[in-house]
Amino acid sequence: MAVNVRSRTGTRERIHDAGLTLFNERGYTGTTVRELADAVDLTPGAIYNHYPSKESLLFAIIDRVHDEADTILSETLRGVGNDPVAQLEALASAFTGFHIARPRETRVANRDYIYLPARERESVVRRRRRVRALFVEVLRDGERRGHFCFAELGSEDAVQAASMAILNMVVLVAEWFDPARSRSAAETAALHGRLALRIARSGR
Amino acid sequence: MAVNVRSRTGTRERIHDAGLTLFNERGYTGTTVRELADAVDLTPGAIYNHYPSKESLLFAIIDRVHDEADTILSETLRGVGNDPVAQLEALASAFTGFHIARPRETRVANRDYIYLPARERESVVRRRRRVRALFVEVLRDGERRGHFCFAELGSEDAVQAASMAILNMVVLVAEWFDPARSRSAAETAALHGRLALRIARSGR
DNA sequence: CGGCGCGATGAACGGCCGTTCATACTCCTG
DNA sequence: CAGGAGTATGAACGGCCGTTCATCGCGCCG
């Protein structure tokens, strides 16, 4: 009954999207499956025709955005040469664009993954570590080849700290970037690319 | 009855501390007042002799750490001269030390303030904005006086982006800093001071 | 055109939520 | 030694939580 014009398929996707919005706004534990159901005009029980549990929806959301992030990162790397300077700038820029384009997805992934059951959480932690390792690798490579400089910072943690500074800059761009007031996303992405080079102290 | 050796005073503080630990680990909405009570060996009802509500405990936690942050920041500024370069380095370094020293407090403040009721949340948002404004101010001052350079970045958002890059680096240090494996907190704080100067492109 | 199966319903499950309250204990003050 | 203030107890409150299930309607396929 009710609205029979309901699109047969796509319900799973609509739930996914509502989860994105609600988890983003209220957090995973702050969101109720009844709220989820209201948002997609469904009864709470109907949710379970599409996801076996609330946790599984959270995992679907986080896993997908990690897939997309991996894709962006590896495609960016594929489209740029061997030069660590170009690699770092392209990576920081592209990843910034990604985070501006997907603020809900990335916020939920970064904030709420701790609520995943152990198995899934560990899988996510592993994927996050791989992204960190990619940036560290590029930084180390660039240092070895004389394009970046961390020695003068006088700390063994310098490369890690620098890569985390870059990653945090990129990952949290959506906390301040305002499509209404800020310059274009592309310009901000380019800006972050250049700031990443500053952090690595490349002469550009 | 039970343990009569219970220290008469200090219960409010012990609840505050347990809230810190639990909110940090499970998030505000993921923490139960029964868990809180268990952590301090009390009955749920007894919590309400010390805080009128769960929300008020969250606010007490967040408000206190903001007080401490304000103190650190203004004392740091007071202890350093007029030079924007020295100011930025000192601010980034001191604030990094603060976040390493108080990982629970700062994580809860930054992540869970959204669960505060409107009045309190707005007060917190105002305090956060003031911190951001302080960094922007130092950056602009340094640029005006020729010590920092953002013009070459070619974006009107450059100063804001740079200040957010510095702030995010500082505020999230506890996500990777590991007292067991990392160098000392003081060394990491100094490192962040120097990285902040890189971001502002000071010649040091 | 009959039947099958997907997907929605709405009621219900046991359990936990934040909070309140009458009561009682204990310690400090006078 | 009396009494009041401060604080803990344990039971209870109404309400909401995530999830299950019997039931049923609708649209597609043979």
Side-chain angles (χ1 to χ4, degrees):
Chain A
M1 57 143 6
V3 196
N4 124 353
V5 199
R6 177 148 36 239
S7 72
R8 173 127 274 66
T9 112
T11 302
R12 189 184 153 95
E13 203 52 36
R14 285 169 58 240
I15 295 171
H16 187 105
D17 191 69
L20 230 23
T21 298
L22 289 172
F23 292 168
N24 176 48
E25 283 170 4
R26 315 164 194 232
Y28 173 74
T29 48
T31 302
T32 263
V33 348
R34 279 163 184 83
E35 293 172 334
L36 233 15
D38 280 353
V40 291
D41 255 314
L42 244 36
T43 278
I47 300 286
Y48 291 83
N49 287 324
H50 302 276
Y51 293 92
S53 68
K54 190 189 168 197
E55 272 175 349
S56 74
L57 170 58
L58 178 64
F59 183 62
I61 287 173
I62 296 180
D63 204 46
R64 178 189 295 181
V65 70
H66 269 102
D67 285 345
E68 294 175 345
D70 289 349
T71 301
I72 289 275
L73 255 15
S74 62
E75 282 189 358
T76 299
L77 221 42
R78 207 155 40 75
V80 80
N82 257 349
D83 178 22
V85 175
Q87 284 179 345
L88 177 60
E89 184 166 18
L91 248 18
S93 179
F95 215 24
T96 294
F98 178 71
H99 281 81
I100 288 179
R102 290 179 163 42
R104 299 175 304 166
E105 289 82 342
T106 51
R107 190 148 38 211
V108 170
N110 287 321
R111 188 231 277 140
D112 291 338
Y113 77 95
I114 62 165
Y115 298 113
L116 254 12
R119 278 184 59 82
E120 285 87 352
R121 187 177 60 245
E122 278 156 26
S123 143
V124 168
V125 167
R126 247 176 281 122
R127 300 185 80 162
R128 292 166 63 89
R129 267 203 285 262
R130 225 173 295 137
V131 174
R132 293 187 188 190
L134 170 64
F135 277 83
V136 168
E137 202 182 310
V138 171
L139 254 35
R140 279 201 209 287
D141 187 36
E143 183 183 29
R144 216 177 306 115
R145 292 155 71 173
H147 299 110
F148 301 147
C149 176
F150 304 105
E152 70 175 37
L153 292 171
S155 169
E156 289 173 13
D157 284 338
V159 170
Q160 181 176 16
S163 77
M164 289 309 298
I166 293 168
L167 229 16
N168 286 333
M169 168 181 76
V170 165
V171 156
L172 290 164
V173 63
E175 301 302 323
W176 65 266
F177 180 86
D178 178 354
R181 262 191 289 280
S182 301
R183 310 285 290 189
S184 78
E187 192 176 312
T188 301
L191 172 54
H192 272 189
R194 286 188 292 265
L195 284 174
L197 296 186
R198 283 190 173 192
I199 289 171
R201 177 127 289 182
S202 148
R204 188 148 343 116
Chain B
M1 57 138 13
V3 196
N4 122 354
V5 199
R6 178 147 36 237
S7 72
R8 174 124 276 66
T9 112
T11 302
R12 190 184 152 94
E13 203 52 37
R14 285 170 56 240
I15 295 171
H16 187 104
D17 191 70
L20 230 22
T21 298
L22 289 172
F23 292 167
N24 176 48
E25 284 170 4
R26 312 162 195 233
Y28 173 74
T29 47
T31 301
T32 263
V33 348
R34 279 164 183 83
E35 292 171 336
L36 233 14
D38 281 352
V40 292
D41 255 312
L42 243 37
T43 278
I47 300 286
Y48 291 84
N49 286 326
H50 302 276
Y51 293 91
S53 68
K54 188 188 169 197
E55 271 175 351
S56 74
L57 169 60
L58 178 63
F59 182 64
I61 287 172
I62 295 180
D63 204 47
R64 179 189 295 181
V65 70
H66 269 103
D67 285 345
E68 294 175 343
D70 288 350
T71 301
I72 289 276
L73 256 14
S74 62
E75 282 189 358
T76 299
L77 221 40
R78 209 158 38 75
V80 80
N82 257 350
D83 178 22
V85 175
Q87 284 179 344
L88 178 59
E89 183 166 18
L91 247 18
S93 178
F95 215 24
T96 294
F98 178 71
H99 281 81
I100 288 179
R102 289 177 165 44
R104 298 176 304 168
E105 289 81 342
T106 52
R107 189 148 38 210
V108 170
N110 285 323
R111 188 231 277 141
D112 292 338
Y113 77 95
I114 61 164
Y115 298 113
L116 254 13
R119 280 183 58 82
E120 286 86 352
R121 188 178 58 244
E122 278 155 27
S123 144
V124 168
V125 167
R126 249 177 279 122
R127 300 186 79 161
R128 292 167 63 90
R129 268 204 283 263
R130 226 173 294 137
V131 174
R132 293 187 188 191
L134 171 64
F135 278 83
V136 168
E137 202 182 309
V138 171
L139 254 34
R140 279 201 209 285
D141 187 35
E143 184 183 27
R144 216 179 303 116
R145 292 157 69 173
H147 299 110
F148 302 147
C149 176
F150 304 106
E152 68 176 37
L153 293 170
S155 169
E156 288 173 13
D157 285 340
V159 171
Q160 182 177 16
S163 76
M164 289 309 298
I166 293 168
L167 229 17
N168 286 332
M169 167 182 76
V170 165
V171 157
L172 290 165
V173 63
E175 301 302 324
W176 64 266
F177 181 87
D178 178 355
R181 263 190 289 279
S182 302
R183 310 285 289 187
S184 78
E187 191 175 315
T188 301
L191 172 55
H192 272 189
R194 286 189 292 264
L195 284 175
L197 296 186
R198 283 190 174 193
I199 290 170
R201 178 129 289 190
S202 146
R204 187 154 350 112

